[in-house]
């Protein structure tokens, strides 16, 4: 598949995540999109005449060629949504960007991915939480995701590097700059301890409207989002809402009712938008990360179910090999859509083959 065509698709003004995916699904590939005639393109859901004209005139290729030279010069990986190297968790989100630019060495599909977000005006309380949380998470060897912003984001990355935990910063601009510029030394360390990701091409400045787009990537890349401190109107709450919309787990640390920078966390907990967390053990229990829950035991019950359907056998084999899995990962490993998978899982639970754990995790009995 042509990388130039992939980049060109993401260069077309007015073609966002959803329309780009519609175009790919309708035409088959970026190359075929640019070969298609206007009469054919008019059948694509959500497309307008101006966008069709831009595609037909191939105006995006000049910008795409410039970006291709940039990523080749600086050894940046281009991750396209239809390819295997694209993050599998994010691929399941309906508004996932079709193209990501990644510089670093992190495994974006590792077993446990956690986003840690919060206020830009962190307090001693938030700083202590970050330090304790990241030190405790080291035993789980997760990937830590945040936005390299002031406050909690910076602390999450910093503590991850300190504890030799892989960490990735999601940027609201191109990879030709670091914002805030004061965080450049930490960002450079992260390149060998994780990396940096953006959907924006070089030359893109950190405009206000880019940050909510950045937040959806933070939420979509992760199994769980942890809010350490957040104002009621903070960007961290946007990330938490996005994580909920993607059916991901959300946790929030509570604060005193008089603390401005805990008002958002308290609101998430009060409205059942986040699990309350006071210590690492809370996270481990709800997500099924405790040692006893993670031990793989081959059940003699499985051999008794000789009448399993082919799909039930496939699910059983995946869980036998992988241990406990969230439903998103089960869908990826089996190739079954989540709507169908949920019905099959329900039947398997009733047969006593598997059981559900907190956090939409499933394992064999």
């Amino acid at each position: 598949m042509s990388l130039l065509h992939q980049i060109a698709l993401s260069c077309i003004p007015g073609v966002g995540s959803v329309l780009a995916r519609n175009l790919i699904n309708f035409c088959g590939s970026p190359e075929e999109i640019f070969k298609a005639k206007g009469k054919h393109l008019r059948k694509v859901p959500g497309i307008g005449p101006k966008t069709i004209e831009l595609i037909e005139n191939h105006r995006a290729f000049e910008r795409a060629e410039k970006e291709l030279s940039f990523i080749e010069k600086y050894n940046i990986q281009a991750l396209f949504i239809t390819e295997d190297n694209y993050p599998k968790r994010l691929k399941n989100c309906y508004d996932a960007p079709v193209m990501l630019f990644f510089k670093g060495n992190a495994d974006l599909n590792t077993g446990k991915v956690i986003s840690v977000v919060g206020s830009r005006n962190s307090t001693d309380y938030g700083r202590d939480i970050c330090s304790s949380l990241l030190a405790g998470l080291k035993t789980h060897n997760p990937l830590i995701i945040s936005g390299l912003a002031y406050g909690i984001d910076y602390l999450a990355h910093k503590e991850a590097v300190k504890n030799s935990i892989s960490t990735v910063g999601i940027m609201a601009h191109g990879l030709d700059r670091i914002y805030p510029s004061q965080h450049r030394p930490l960002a450079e360390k992260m390149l060998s301890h994780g990396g940096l990701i953006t959907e924006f091409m070089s030359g893109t400045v950190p405009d206000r409207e880019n940050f909510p787009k950045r937040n959806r990537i933070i939420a979509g890349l992760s199994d769980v989002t942890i809010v350490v401190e957040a104002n009621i109107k903070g960007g961290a709450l946007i990330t938490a809402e996005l994580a909920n919309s993607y059916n991901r787990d959300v946790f929030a640390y509570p604060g005193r009712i008089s603390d401005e920078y805990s008002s958002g966390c308290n609101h998430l907990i009060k409205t059942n938008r986040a699990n309350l967390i006071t210590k690492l053990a809370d996270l481990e229990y709800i997500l099924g990360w405790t040692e006893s829950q993670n031990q793989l035991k081959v059940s003699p019950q499985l051999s008794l179910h000789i009448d399993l359907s082919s799909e039930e056998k496939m699910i059983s084999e995946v869980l036998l090999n992988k241990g406990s899995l969230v439903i998103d990962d089960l869908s990826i490993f089996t190739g079954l859509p989540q709507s169908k998978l949920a019905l099959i899982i329900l039947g398997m639970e009733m047969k006593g083959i598997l059981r559900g754990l907190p956090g939409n995790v499933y394992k064999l009995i």
Side-chain angles (χ1 to χ4, degrees):
M1 188 177 292
S2 166
L3 179 55
L4 181 63
H5 285 82
Q6 292 173 347
I7 297 174
L9 177 60
S10 63
C11 292
I12 302 171
V15 176
S17 303
V18 175
L19 179 54
R21 294 179 84 163
N22 287 345
L23 282 163
I24 295 167
N25 291 336
F26 191 81
C27 297
S29 71
E31 294 96 325
E32 294 302 318
I33 292 171
F34 288 101
K35 290 179 183 177
K37 302 297 183 182
K39 182 179 180 180
H40 186 61
L41 291 172
R42 281 197 292 271
K43 300 176 183 178
V44 178
I47 201 167
K50 186 175 181 180
T51 303
I52 293 174
E53 181 184 353
L54 290 171
I55 294 172
E56 288 186 313
N57 291 337
H58 292 187
R59 293 177 182 175
F61 279 95
E62 182 178 350
R63 180 66 184 89
E65 287 171 351
K66 181 180 177 181
E67 193 63 20
L68 182 58
S69 297
F70 172 77
I71 66 174
E72 288 176 345
K73 180 178 179 180
Y74 293 101
N75 195 29
I76 294 168
Q77 298 179 55
L79 312 178
F80 195 69
I81 196 163
T82 59
E83 298 190 338
D84 292 340
N85 61 357
Y86 193 93
K88 62 184 181 182
R89 293 169 177 85
L90 186 59
K91 188 179 290 190
N92 282 337
C93 302
Y94 72 93
D95 57 351
V98 294
M99 177 68 78
L100 293 173
F101 300 103
F102 172 48
K103 187 171 179 62
N105 59 6
D107 178 3
L108 302 176
N109 292 318
T110 192
K112 297 172 182 175
V113 185
I114 302 170
S115 60
V116 180
V117 297
S119 172
R120 294 179 177 233
N121 300 294
S122 58
T123 67
D124 288 341
Y125 174 66
R127 288 189 284 272
D128 288 343
I129 287 174
C130 266
S131 178
S132 176
L133 174 65
L134 270 297
L137 284 172
K138 184 175 182 178
T139 59
H140 291 286
N141 193 31
L143 172 62
I144 300 299
I145 304 289
S146 200
L148 202 61
Y150 290 112
I152 297 301
D153 287 24
Y154 178 85
L155 291 166
H157 293 306
K158 181 182 177 182
E159 292 297 323
V161 171
K162 177 182 175 181
N163 287 281
S164 299
I165 300 172
S166 186
T167 182
V168 170
I170 313 303
M171 320 305 289
H173 49 76
L175 290 180
D176 56 330
R177 69 187 71 213
I178 296 296
Y179 176 82
S181 59
Q182 296 94 318
H183 295 174
R184 179 173 292 277
L186 176 59
E188 290 175 350
K189 290 181 181 178
M190 289 166 59
L191 292 177
S192 58
H193 290 81
L196 304 172
I197 287 180
T198 186
E199 68 176 304
F200 300 103
M201 291 187 293
S202 59
T204 305
V205 298
D207 289 332
R208 181 184 297 271
E209 62 268 20
N210 293 351
F211 288 91
K213 296 178 182 178
R214 183 272 309 268
N215 292 346
R216 87 187 193 286
I217 299 176
I218 294 175
L221 278 173
S222 309
D223 298 308
V224 54
T225 293
I226 302 175
V227 187
V228 174
E229 280 188 307
N231 188 287
I232 195 70
K233 294 183 179 180
L237 261 68
I238 296 175
T239 306
E241 290 294 340
L242 288 164
N244 274 312
S245 74
Y246 298 148
N247 197 30
R248 309 295 167 83
D249 287 286
V250 178
F251 289 78
Y253 280 90
R256 293 179 299 184
I257 59 174
S258 58
D259 289 345
E260 177 185 359
Y261 298 118
S262 289
S263 60
C265 291
N266 292 341
H267 176 75
L268 288 171
I269 296 166
K270 180 176 69 176
T271 56
N272 294 318
R273 288 179 168 87
N275 299 291
L276 184 149
I277 178 174
T278 60
K279 55 186 181 298
L280 179 60
D282 299 334
L283 179 78
E284 292 172 328
Y285 172 73
I286 292 177
L287 295 181
W289 287 0
T290 58
E291 184 178 354
S292 61
Q293 288 170 311
N294 282 330
Q295 288 175 344
L296 178 61
K297 298 179 180 178
V298 180
S299 171
Q301 289 289 331
L302 188 58
S303 62
L304 299 179
H305 293 281
I306 58 174
D307 59 339
L308 294 181
S309 69
S310 59
E311 292 168 334
E312 289 174 333
K313 287 178 181 177
M314 179 168 56
I315 294 169
S316 299
E317 288 172 0
V318 169
L319 290 176
L320 190 61
N321 291 325
K322 300 291 183 179
S324 57
L325 286 174
V326 296
I327 193 168
D328 283 356
D329 286 346
L330 259 179
S331 177
I332 292 167
F333 285 120
T334 61
L336 297 170
Q338 288 194 25
S339 56
K340 183 175 183 179
L341 185 60
L343 292 174
I344 299 172
I345 286 174
L346 178 61
M348 294 177 72
E349 285 187 284
M350 295 178 68
K351 291 179 180 179
I353 300 170
L354 55 74
R355 68 186 178 97
L357 301 172
N360 289 324
V361 176
Y362 294 92
K363 67 172 293 184
L364 295 175
I365 294 177

